[in-house]
Amino acid sequence: MALLSALRGATWRFPGHLVRLSSHPAARRGERPGGEELSRLLLDDLAPAPRSTGGLELLFGLSPCLLALRAARRRVARLLLQAGRSGVQGERAELLRAAEARDIPVLRPRRQKLDALCRHQVHQGVCMEVSPLRPRPWTEAGEARPGDDPQQLWLVLERLQDPRNLGAVLRSAHFLGVDKVITSRRNSCPLTPVVSKASAGAMEVMDIFFTDDLDGFLQAKARQGWLVAGTVGCPGPEISGSSEIPITSCLEFLWDQPTLLVLGNEGSGLSPEVQASCQLLLTILPGRQLPPGLESLNVSVAAGILLHSICRQRKGFPEEGKRGQHLQDPRVPSATAEGPRLPQHPGLSSGSERESNGKNILR
């Protein structure tokens, strides 16, 4: 079945069906979608459209589709709303209104057909056929100077390959206030619908850029006055000094200049070339002695911890001591603004500096 035309009032033919989507006057008066207009939508078996020939992909999930419509960065061929759901309210009604405003055709396939189209991903009864979203060259990111704002934070991702990891990292980055995201184009996960769903739609609204020369990019930013902070696993006491790059706990890091936080691949961490471009390496100290194999964190979990430890220093960021004081149990001593202090880890010398073997904090 060819893609439906986006022109209002056009007529399409399906096996055994002839359907015309018209513009009902009630929709033009701003009444809630879902009444007579919704009843006119086709309950179709919806054979998969040849999206590859038109350069389209299937975006799924309520938040990704809604945020994609709001951001208007993608071309939208049609909106697919699951048939049989009771009424169309809340965000689904907003989807219909946005589609109406942009003359986007709306179809109502059955659940089984949506499941097949999404390859049984969790679509929440909402899909859209859209043009792909791709990162832009980092040269379009703008020349943010260190003197403009000492608390700028860019997240740099080297060779992240799992789409759900990438989506979760983007969600945390957007939530915590990261200014821009830079990815290495080589051996990195593209911005797929799975990434968008895992990011709860954050991918649709974030500024994401790429570079073909990540270590060159880091060195250029360092010359401009940016701090390049990489990430590594917590060094053990047996590690001998093999690098001149200092390691510090993320809880000890002082954010007083524009910073690039660099996260590496899920399995191997930062490449030697990228790590050599770092001026500092951040680590997360464990709360207990860990057996082999459990000494690292998932990359998205580590990203959330690292970003929060940095962004909580931003002016205007809610302080722990000023939030929810009415929930504080008077019998429990309150934590300091910096949080509880862990005992000095044997792998870190006084001053929180220690050479690294490059072991990855992320898995």
Side-chain angles (χ1 to χ4, degrees), residues 242-289:
S242 59
S243 170
E244 296 181 356
I245 305 175
I247 297 178
T248 185
S249 164
C250 62
L251 297 178
E252 302 291 336
F253 174 72
L254 178 62
W255 187 24
D256 57 0
Q257 68 182 104
T259 299
L260 302 174
L261 179 66
V262 191
L263 300 180
N265 174 266
E266 291 94 338
S268 57
L270 298 177
S271 66
E273 298 80 11
V274 168
Q275 183 169 315
S277 300
C278 296
Q279 302 156 297
L280 178 71
L281 297 173
L282 297 180
T283 191
I284 301 172
L285 297 181
R288 56 157 51 93
Q289 195 70 29

Side-chain angles (χ1 to χ4, degrees), residues 49-119:
R51 290 186 294 278
S52 59
T53 59
L56 300 180
E57 62 187 15
L58 193 69
L59 189 66
F60 57 92
L62 184 55
S63 289
C65 291
L66 184 57
L67 289 172
L69 281 176
R70 289 174 180 169
R73 294 178 173 180
R74 298 180 185 259
R75 178 171 62 89
V76 181
R78 57 182 179 176
L79 170 66
L80 313 176
L81 284 178
Q82 180 182 321
R85 283 183 172 267
S86 56
V88 178
Q89 301 175 354
E91 292 179 326
R92 286 175 175 80
E94 185 177 345
L95 276 170
L96 276 176
R97 284 192 291 267
E100 167 73 18
R102 292 174 56 180
D103 293 334
I104 297 171
V106 182
L107 294 180
R108 299 204 69 205
R110 297 182 175 88
R111 167 69 181 272
Q112 294 83 350
K113 189 57 64 176
L114 273 185
D115 288 345
L117 285 173
C118 294
R119 299 178 182 177

Side-chain angles (χ1 to χ4, degrees), residues 149-224:
D149 181 4
Q151 289 191 325
Q152 298 176 67
L153 180 62
W154 292 12
L155 180 62
V156 181
L157 306 175
E158 185 192 15
R159 300 178 302 151
L160 259 67
Q161 296 179 341
D162 188 299
R164 289 176 176 81
N165 277 340
L166 177 56
V169 168
L170 294 177
R171 183 175 185 175
S172 295
H174 185 65
F175 182 88
L176 291 168
V178 167
D179 297 301
K180 290 179 174 63
V181 176
I182 312 291
T183 68
S184 59
R185 184 157 66 169
R186 185 166 55 98
N187 297 326
S188 292
C189 177
L191 301 181
T192 66
V194 175
V195 175
S196 186
K197 182 63 168 65
S199 75
M203 187 188 90
E204 305 297 324
V205 298
M206 292 193 71
D207 291 326
I208 304 175
F209 304 88
F210 75 87
T211 176
D212 290 315
D213 181 14
L214 187 55
D215 51 322
F217 162 76
L218 296 176
Q219 293 169 16
K221 299 303 286 184
R223 288 192 295 269
Q224 295 175 9

